[in-house]
Amino acid sequence: MSVRVRFAPSPTGYLHIGGARTALYCHLYAKAKGGSFVLRIEDTDLERSKKEYEDAMIEDLKWCGLENHEGPVKGGDYGPYRQSERLDLYKSLAQQLVDEGKAYPCFLTDEELEELTEKAKAEKNSPHHYHDKYRDLDPAEAKKRVEAGETHVIRFKNPRKKYTFTDIVRGEVTFPEDMVGDFVIMRSNGMPVYNFCCVIDDWKMEMTHVMRAEEHLNNTVRQLMIYEAFGVKPPEFAHCSLLVGEDRQKLSKRHGATSVVQYKDQKYLPQALMNYLCLLGWSHPDEKDIFDLDEIAPIFDLSRFTKAPALYDIEKLKHFNGEHMRRLSPDDLLSYLKPTLPSDHPFHTQSEGWQKDCVGFFKEKINIPAELPEHLEVLFSTEPQRGEAVDEVKGWETTAAIQEYIKTEVSKLAESGAEFITVDQFNDWTNHCKKELKIKGKFLFKGMRLALTGMAEGPDLKVVIPLTPMSVMKARHGL
Ligand code: GLU
């Protein structure tokens, strides 16, 4: 049987990085096994589901490089792929369970439910055991009340026994007999609940594996009951480790950016985000940490999931972005970084050759595009720097001599029409200061740096000086 896996988001918000990780594992596993990766939209919560979120999710999955083989846009043999378009199926199967005595209509009103919940609290019991009042109501009587239009939900008749299954990540998992009560499968507005439609769809769409986050583990017991009620063999389950923030709490907005779109907006490389997410809950057989999806797909397997909660660390993600950025070809590097700079940045006024040299040098200094403008200051800033380090160098009398000499040289060069200072010229000037002005050591190197860049520290002058436009050099010397 060929592998079929699905990513089944509820369109109630933007694609979360936890969701992107699940989608990534599904994508990789389908690819590794030559199977199908299915996108299913779980939109039965009418109040919270929005089409704009569905569209955004599809867009963001595409940006991640996780395109599906079947889904609401792509279509496929198992559609429709939006749960809101499959309501008749859920209704008829819920009715089938009622007819078979495996589910029943429940007429508890909201007030009654609340009262029972309070009672359970007072008696220090879990409330679901108090919600089964209609479990043994005569089916004929129940049918009459339903037909008379009485408001009701449909509850699943819990077989009240222990459930055990083997999870790919967590091993054998046992749910005690009293873990859940007679849970609702159809709401009073006629809409099915997640646990019910999820089972129906995973079954009817012939899913072989269900990968999802650990927080769904407790839903699995309900889902196992439903599979059993229909006499259907459940798929294999893999409940992937929880993503946590530095305080070890479940990842949430207060830990920083948690939506894929935020990383897209901050111009992270999708391949870096995918690489990082892949390793949060899975490990490479050769302990390799930097890879592309194409490299990893052939060796991705389900035996390498890790159980422990995975720490989501944005600083680490930045490092991954830097590594992937440095793997880009010169052309791709320029195409990546150039559009991240403001349109009025002087970078754009330089030639393409200059731009390539420039990003080729600064890629070593940065991990994410947002760090680039600050580094470019050394090439474009005409504001004299302040601070103790600058003042110290300025205070040396040798510095004044260097500055005077450099100003004359820059002026001569500018008049000759040169657009840049070459490395040779820079070397000649340094030698002049050494031999003629008799300046040595830190007085020479720091003095040269201050005279040329206005800064006390910075990257290699032999690289930055030939990249600094003459207009900037002139402005720095009041020319
Ligand atoms: N709609 C559920 C969610 O977004 C899917 C869970 C599952 O994969 O079964 O959390």
Side-chain angles (χ1 to χ4, degrees), residues 274-305:
M274 291 302 105
N275 185 167
Y276 180 57
L277 288 181
C278 185
L279 291 173
L280 293 177
W282 188 84
S283 69
H284 192 288
D286 305 327
E287 284 172 28
K288 226 175 144 186
D289 58 357
I290 304 295
F291 45 76
D292 282 327
L293 295 190
D294 287 346
E295 290 168 52
I296 204 77
I299 56 161
F300 187 81
D301 72 78
L302 304 181
S303 68
R304 302 199 58 83
F305 283 124

Side-chain angles (χ1 to χ4, degrees), residues 7 100 161 165 296:
F7 175 52
E100 291 171 357
K161 58 175 191 171
F165 81 105
I296 204 77

Side-chain angles (χ1 to χ4, degrees), residues 364-384:
E364 302 298 338
K365 316 266 170 213
I366 63 168
N367 280 325
I368 56 168
E371 294 165 355
L372 183 58
E374 197 189 322
H375 283 272
L376 293 180
E377 294 273 287
V378 70
L379 304 184
F380 292 109
S381 168
T382 53
E383 296 290 313

Side-chain angles (χ1 to χ4, degrees), residues 6-10 22 40 42 194 198 202 210-213 215-216 223:
R6 88 302 193 272
F7 175 52
S10 305
T22 302
R40 180 172 78 223
E42 302 208 324
Y194 155 69
C198 177
D202 286 341
V210 165
M211 285 183 250
R212 58 189 171 205
E215 64 221 42
H216 284 292
Q223 299 186 7

Side-chain angles (χ1 to χ4, degrees), residues 50-118:
K50 290 210 170 74
K51 181 70 168 63
E52 68 178 88
Y53 289 135
E54 178 192 315
D55 293 344
M57 272 182 176
I58 293 174
E59 191 61 40
D60 292 347
L61 285 167
K62 207 171 178 181
W63 179 78
C64 291
L66 306 176
E67 289 197 60
N68 53 74
H69 301 107
E70 295 167 33
V73 177
K74 204 94 191 254
D77 294 341
Y78 297 79
Y81 293 90
R82 266 182 214 101
Q83 290 188 329
S84 59
E85 293 166 22
R86 301 168 66 82
L87 298 177
D88 289 345
L89 175 69
Y90 311 130
K91 256 181 216 165
S92 73
L93 287 167
Q95 189 55 47
Q96 182 185 321
L97 290 184
V98 173
D99 294 344
E100 291 171 357
K102 293 169 180 167
Y104 60 90
C106 163
F107 305 96
L108 287 173
T109 62
D110 289 348
E111 295 77 46
E112 281 175 302
L113 273 171
E114 215 168 286
E115 257 170 49
L116 289 166
T117 306
E118 285 306 311

